[in-house]
Amino acid sequence: MRSKIVTADEAIALIRDGDTLASTGFVQTGFAEALLSALERRFLATGSPKNLALFAAAGQGDGKTLGLNHLGHEGLLHRVVAGHWGRMPKVAQLALDNRIQAYNLPQGIICQLFRDLAAGKPGSFSKVGLHTFVDPRYGGGRINADTTKDIVNLVEVDGEEWLFYKVGTVNVAFVRGTTADTFGNITMEREALTLNNLTMAMAAKNSNGIVIAQVERIAERSGLPPRQVKIPGILVDCVVVAEPLQHMQTLATPYSAAYAGEFRVPHPSLVSTPLTERKIIARRAAFELPPNGIINLGVGMPEGVAAVAQEERISHLLTLTVESGLIGGIPSSGGNFGTGVNMDAVIDENQQFDFYDGGGLDMACLGMAECDAAGNVNVSRFGGRLTGAGGFINISQNARLVVFVGTFTGSGLKVEVNDGKLRIVQEGSQRKFLKQVEQITFNGQYAYDRGKPVYYVTERCVFRRVRRGLALIEVAPGIDVNRDILPYMDFAPIIGEYGEMDARIFNANPMGLESELLNLSLPERVIYDPERNILFLNFEGMHVRVVEDVKAIWDICELRCRAAGKRVGVIINYDRFRINQDMYDAYAEMDRYFLANYFSQITRYATSAFLRAKLGEAFSARSIAPHVFERREEAQAFLAGRTSDRT
């Protein structure tokens, strides 16, 4: 059998006019630079192949000339279906100029389409994209006026709305690995990510297409350990050995053994950074981190949350993931984004999105370019820029908790912190809170209808999506709502009772998040007064996120009650108390248990009318007496009255 090892030019000569090309890569990692540059070279020299269709999940390139930017020539491409466009501005400009047919689909959907095409299916069913710009009722992912064909259909199955995505076949797949034998078996021992290489190769092969692999070295036939082979040679038609500069592990790092998972690196030493607006935002977002939670942090400002977790020594309480396929460890940032060190596992990109789409994420922290009165967020197309959604729609629609982060205004914002108070030194010239976003990448009403808690964190205030829209819930110390917030919004948010952002955020010292996440302060919050036979529960500022939080409260209360040796009256301070929606039932079960076994009466108080109404409604719905007073004195008087009635 002949060797499959050929030059890049020989491999590219097999591509025909009108073919559909699937290209591997994730941002600045793992794309087949030698193949893409050879394709450009052939087109510029001969005018062929022309009118190609490009099928790409993640962004691939440096945002300038490398990666998919090699294909940014009029006539080379006819149609592009991509998840992210920001890394290929030359191709994006063709789309904005109506020179090509262009679609933006969720990155995870494209990953899954490769798999479904490999299995001979006509397309993919998913709820991902409903009520966003991908929904055919909002544009169907079409980018320009020349793009008229629908590739996304709204369908109904058993009374529920679904989207059906259909793209077609793949004629050519560009894949990448480390070592190939002469038969085309491919290993990836020096690659940081496995991505969609296997499913893309299967999709092309089962479409009667060709698979071209870029590698850095060659082994003899049968010289590779079979368990290390990620792409079987039966799928591969050509193997091209790339020059080192065209086969860097990432564009920022020629090779890192730690990114390849060869060993675990020591944890970096802690370096405290100044209290900039970005760090303030990351600190506030970190208060939402669920202990033992599985989390996705988006690119850019959300990456700061990982740094805060490191500073607060809580990284070991979290499992960070990246849509590229990383699970656990420390994700990289900047030019190495998508890679990481000390990972627990690296899985294929389409498998990661299966996990995300099924609800596997406890929390997602993502950026926001624009936000409107309905709580809609736009990150995909704004200000004349086409960036694309990437994995944003998959992640934001399916995580149990979503925290959007971004500065209140953009382009020129300067702030300073003095004596624990925030001051706006220079306001940004770009407004982010608009009457209506240019494009809906996240639908606030759809999230609310599904019971998803959604927060919008800025350096000066925090909003939450409530029933009627965007509500102001926290303001930074030193910030005046009428001076620093409302004049820079194109709409009036819902303003009722709001609290102050935690003072610890605006102090350079560590915030003590470990104690908060692990409920280490609970013994100090639960105090028994034997003279009055009252158990005081001070839950002020507490956040019940997960069932372990409920169990911690349960355990300390039972310990105090057993020590008392009789039934006790209970007064609970719920000021600034928060509880996740999916914890109400577990919390109510705890209340019923203690009323049946230890408590003679429970009274509750909270200065917030909204919280009193919310708690009262939740307790009533679960057949628990909904007494929530405004002041402690009222709660004590009620409890004393009930006790005297019994005597």
Side-chain angles (χ1 to χ4, degrees), residues 62-370:
D62 62 346
K64 298 174 184 176
T65 60
L66 301 181
L68 294 178
N69 290 290
H70 288 296
L71 310 186
H73 300 284
E74 189 168 355
L76 196 164
L77 295 173
H78 167 66
R79 185 176 76 148
V80 176
V81 180
H84 195 275
W85 289 73
R87 286 278 145 192
M88 50 178 185
K90 291 185 176 182
V91 179
Q93 195 59 52
L94 293 175
L96 292 172
D97 292 342
N98 277 297
R99 301 295 186 182
I100 57 174
Q101 297 175 13
Y103 300 85
N104 182 201
L105 299 187
Q107 180 179 329
I109 292 296
I110 296 178
C111 295
Q112 292 155 349
L113 274 167
F114 289 137
R115 184 191 59 212
D116 289 340
L117 290 174
K121 298 176 182 178
S124 298
F125 281 96
S126 180
K127 289 182 179 290
V128 171
L130 281 170
H131 304 287
T132 71
F133 73 91
V134 178
D135 190 315
R137 293 168 292 191
Y138 295 81
R142 295 187 295 272
I143 288 175
N144 57 33
D146 281 359
T147 306
T148 57
K149 181 181 178 180
D150 288 327
I151 62 172
V152 187
N153 291 333
L154 179 68
V155 297
E156 187 174 297
V157 179
D158 293 335
E160 293 187 15
E161 290 183 341
W162 291 76
L163 295 180
F164 180 66
Y165 295 86
K166 56 183 188 302
V167 174
T169 59
V170 172
N171 306 117
V172 182
F174 284 176
V175 299
R176 174 174 149 152
T178 299
T179 310
D181 67 14
T182 54
F183 182 64
N185 294 304
I186 310 290
T187 61
M188 298 184 182
E189 64 271 20
R190 287 169 57 88
E191 297 293 308
L193 305 168
T194 58
L195 301 176
N196 299 300
N197 284 286
L198 177 59
T199 53
M200 286 171 48
M202 288 181 173
K205 182 56 66 175
N206 286 348
S207 299
N208 294 317
I210 60 172
V211 176
I212 305 174
Q214 173 180 314
V215 299
E216 60 179 274
R217 57 195 184 189
I218 300 297
E220 281 297 324
R221 172 75 190 272
S222 304
L224 300 175
R227 294 294 293 272
Q228 290 187 21
V229 172
K230 300 299 183 182
I231 308 174
I234 59 171
L235 304 177
V236 177
D237 296 281
C238 299
V239 174
V240 174
V241 179
E243 294 295 327
L245 286 178
Q246 293 187 317
H247 201 90
M248 295 171 66
Q249 194 178 47
T250 80
L251 288 185
T253 304
Y255 180 70
S256 164
Y259 291 167
E262 290 185 22
F263 63 89
R264 299 178 74 84
V265 301
H267 284 284
S269 52
L270 298 176
V271 178
S272 183
T273 55
L275 274 178
T276 63
E277 63 275 11
R278 297 175 74 91
K279 184 168 184 179
I280 290 168
I281 293 167
R283 283 185 137 204
R284 174 58 187 85
F287 274 86
E288 304 301 325
L289 292 169
N292 302 313
I294 302 169
I295 298 155
N296 175 277
L297 300 178
V299 67
M301 198 169 292
E303 297 172 28
V305 178
V308 171
Q310 185 75 8
E311 273 189 24
E312 295 289 326
R313 302 182 186 276
I314 59 172
S315 297
H316 64 288
L317 301 175
L318 313 167
T319 299
L320 301 180
T321 69
V322 184
E323 57 267 34
S324 57
L326 262 63
I327 296 175
I330 305 171
S332 304
S333 59
N336 296 312
F337 178 73
T339 69
V341 298
N342 301 350
M343 301 79 68
D344 295 323
V346 179
I347 63 177
D348 285 358
E349 190 178 354
N350 57 84
Q351 295 170 332
Q352 187 81 301
F353 276 109
D354 285 343
F355 179 66
Y356 285 0
D357 290 355
L361 286 173
D362 295 299
M363 172 184 164
C365 183
L366 304 167
M368 58 177 175
E370 295 178 346

Side-chain angles (χ1 to χ4, degrees), residues 284 455-457 460-464 471-474 501:
R284 174 58 187 85
Y455 296 91
Y456 308 77
V457 176
R460 70 189 72 179
C461 61
V462 180
F463 299 96
R464 178 170 181 170
L472 180 68
I473 62 169
E474 293 178 21
M501 292 171 70

Side-chain angles (χ1 to χ4, degrees), residues 438-509:
E438 182 177 345
Q439 189 171 72
I440 298 176
T441 329
F442 173 85
N443 190 302
Q445 184 64 50
Y446 185 50
Y448 179 81
D449 291 343
R450 296 164 66 211
K452 184 188 301 295
V454 183
Y455 296 91
Y456 308 77
V457 176
T458 75
E459 78 288 345
R460 70 189 72 179
C461 61
V462 180
F463 299 96
R464 178 170 181 170
R465 185 40 164 100
V466 298
R467 181 171 58 86
R468 292 184 292 115
L470 211 63
L472 180 68
I473 62 169
E474 293 178 21
V475 174
I479 293 297
D480 182 271
V481 172
N482 292 313
R483 180 192 67 212
D484 301 315
I485 296 176
L486 297 182
Y488 303 100
M489 301 180 73
D490 288 352
F491 62 90
I494 299 166
I495 301 179
E497 298 178 32
Y498 55 84
E500 190 171 77
M501 292 171 70
D502 197 297
R504 290 173 289 177
I505 297 169
F506 303 91
N507 186 311
N509 296 322

Side-chain angles (χ1 to χ4, degrees), residues 2 154-155 168 335 369 378 545 549 562 643:
R2 69 176 181 83
L154 179 68
V155 297
N378 174 23
R545 302 171 174 85
D549 293 340
R562 285 178 176 173
T643 303

